[in-house]
Amino acid sequence: MSVQTTRQAATRGRWAVAGIFLANGFLTGSWAPQIPVFLTRLDISKFTLGLLILLFGVGAVMAMTWCGHLISRHGSRPVLRWFGICGSFGLLVVALAPNVPLAALAMLVFGGSIGGMDVAMNSNAVIVERRLSRAIMSSSHGFWSLGGFAGGALGGYSIQNYGYLAHAIAVTALAFLVIAFAVRYLIADDRPQAAGHQKFTLPRHTIVYLGLMALLTMVSEGAVLDWAALYLQQELGADLAIAGLAYAAFSGVMALMRFLGDGVRNRFGAVATLRGSALVAAAGMLVAGLSPSPYLAIAAFAFCGFGIANMVPILFSAGGNQEGLSSGTGMSVVTTMGYSGILVAPSAIGFVAEHSSFGPIFVALSGLLVIVLLMANLAHRAEFAAEPAPAE
């Protein structure tokens, strides 16, 4: 295969994996407007709803830990193909669940398929980065954010006018078509090497520290998602409409910066970009926690989103490029630890807020981002060097 042909295949693979990210975000975002219907349709309490949503997270983490082994054995492309096809039907299965026990099983399966898909698509994006010798991870996550925005924005209107089941069918059809088309052009991994199956001692391996950095970053991201609006409303005196702008500003700036982030990373390098991003994110979180005004807090959260945008993509890329580990194994560790932060953080922050206030919590979270800044050099495996050209 010629160098030009390999490059063209890698370029097609780059857009194929972007399509998978878009579909994954669309499926996840489309679930949010289904939640109120889910609550009333099954006639359950908010506590029961919380447990069912927790099962989504449990399924995701279980699949993430298992997915690394599958990728090590079979490569990211076939694993992504099957998780992607299954994931496209996840929302429909949840919408069809007639009672709580079946809904619990449906949420576990939906979360598992989305979680497995997440590890496999990030792992495949690492392969594309190696083939192209440049960053594409940040913009891939940008496509995920774009899909999530589209799913959330269109879902409420669709459910209100056409019903929850019609909405779930339409989402399933769209996601299936995108995934089925995209998987044909995904880049195949090199055959897994024996190193991918070697065991490693977690406390001594760099991958665990990368996972910790992802956890600290995603705890901060989850805190803004779950608690920023309440903080503005209860402690800074904002009305509901203004309070809702906190996460909107954070996520909007984050999505925009993810599309610009690959160029920044290609120019300045992964470690320097991670350091600068962590510094910006920590400063934004600190100002938000100390802010006397809701409008200043909104601007600070937007500034924080500007920094956080490229931190997780760089850490994922570094995790998938660890020496002595397959990309799937490394990605599995980093994603599992990172997403565990989003699962654990909301309840932990809520408990602390019961005995304190949100301001000091956001100040403390800025300190966690400073820790990521100090550990940034561990992400050096996300720097790129051209792969050797394939044989003719």
Side-chain angles (χ1 to χ4, degrees), residues 223-306:
V224 179
L225 168 64
D226 292 306
W227 299 112
L230 203 60
Y231 167 55
L232 264 67
Q233 191 176 21
Q234 292 186 353
E235 297 182 21
L236 299 183
D239 60 32
L240 188 59
I242 298 298
L245 294 176
Y247 184 68
F250 175 86
S251 61
V253 171
M254 184 166 65
L256 175 63
M257 190 57 200
R258 280 180 167 170
F259 283 110
L260 300 174
D262 290 329
V264 175
R265 179 176 157 202
N266 287 325
R267 179 170 181 179
F268 297 104
V271 172
T273 302
L274 181 58
R275 284 193 183 118
S277 296
L279 180 61
V280 168
M285 194 72 82
L286 178 64
V287 172
L290 296 175
S291 174
S293 158
Y295 296 102
L296 177 59
I298 290 169
F301 281 127
F303 195 65
C304 183
F306 182 86

Side-chain angles (χ1 to χ4, degrees), residues 84-343:
I85 296 299
C86 291
S88 65
F89 290 94
L91 183 65
L92 181 59
V93 171
V94 171
L96 289 172
N99 52 49
V100 172
L102 288 177
L105 180 60
M107 289 294 287
L108 198 65
V109 171
F110 186 28
S113 60
I114 292 295
M117 191 177 168
D118 196 293
V119 174
M121 68 191 189
N122 277 287
S123 182
N124 194 261
V126 168
I127 304 301
V128 175
E129 287 188 327
R130 291 177 189 167
R131 299 288 173 84
L132 294 175
S133 298
R134 62 181 174 83
I136 62 110
M137 187 69 80
S138 290
S139 57
S140 295
H141 281 254
F143 279 104
W144 187 93
S145 299
L146 189 62
F149 175 78
L154 298 175
Y157 174 84
S158 301
I159 292 170
Q160 182 175 328
N161 289 277
Y162 304 106
Y164 76 93
L165 192 55
H167 168 254
I169 292 171
V171 168
T172 299
L174 286 171
F176 179 83
L177 288 172
V178 171
I179 293 168
F181 180 78
V183 294
R184 299 166 57 196
Y185 299 101
L186 291 173
I187 290 293
D189 313 43
D190 296 328
R191 291 306 301 167
Q193 300 174 0
H197 300 283
Q198 292 176 353
K199 294 182 179 180
F200 56 88
T201 305
L202 286 180
R204 297 179 182 176
H205 204 288
T206 303
I207 195 69
V208 174
Y209 299 112
L210 290 170
L212 175 62
M213 293 161 72
L215 186 150
L216 296 179
T217 302
M218 295 178 81
V219 162
S220 301
E221 183 178 342
V224 179
L225 168 64
D226 292 306
W227 299 112
L230 203 60
Y231 167 55
L232 264 67
Q233 191 176 21
Q234 292 186 353
E235 297 182 21
L236 299 183
D239 60 32
L240 188 59
I242 298 298
L245 294 176
Y247 184 68
F250 175 86
S251 61
V253 171
M254 184 166 65
L256 175 63
M257 190 57 200
R258 280 180 167 170
F259 283 110
L260 300 174
D262 290 329
V264 175
R265 179 176 157 202
N266 287 325
R267 179 170 181 179
F268 297 104
V271 172
T273 302
L274 181 58
R275 284 193 183 118
S277 296
L279 180 61
V280 168
M285 194 72 82
L286 178 64
V287 172
L290 296 175
S291 174
S293 158
Y295 296 102
L296 177 59
I298 290 169
F301 281 127
F303 195 65
C304 183
F306 182 86
I308 282 182
N310 293 306
M311 293 173 68
V312 169
I314 289 172
L315 292 170
F316 281 9
S317 186
N321 281 292
Q322 288 301 298
E323 187 175 358
L325 291 176
S326 70
S327 62
T329 300
M331 193 64 68
S332 178
V333 174
V334 176
T335 53
T336 301
M337 292 183 68
Y339 284 105
S340 294
I342 287 184
L343 291 177

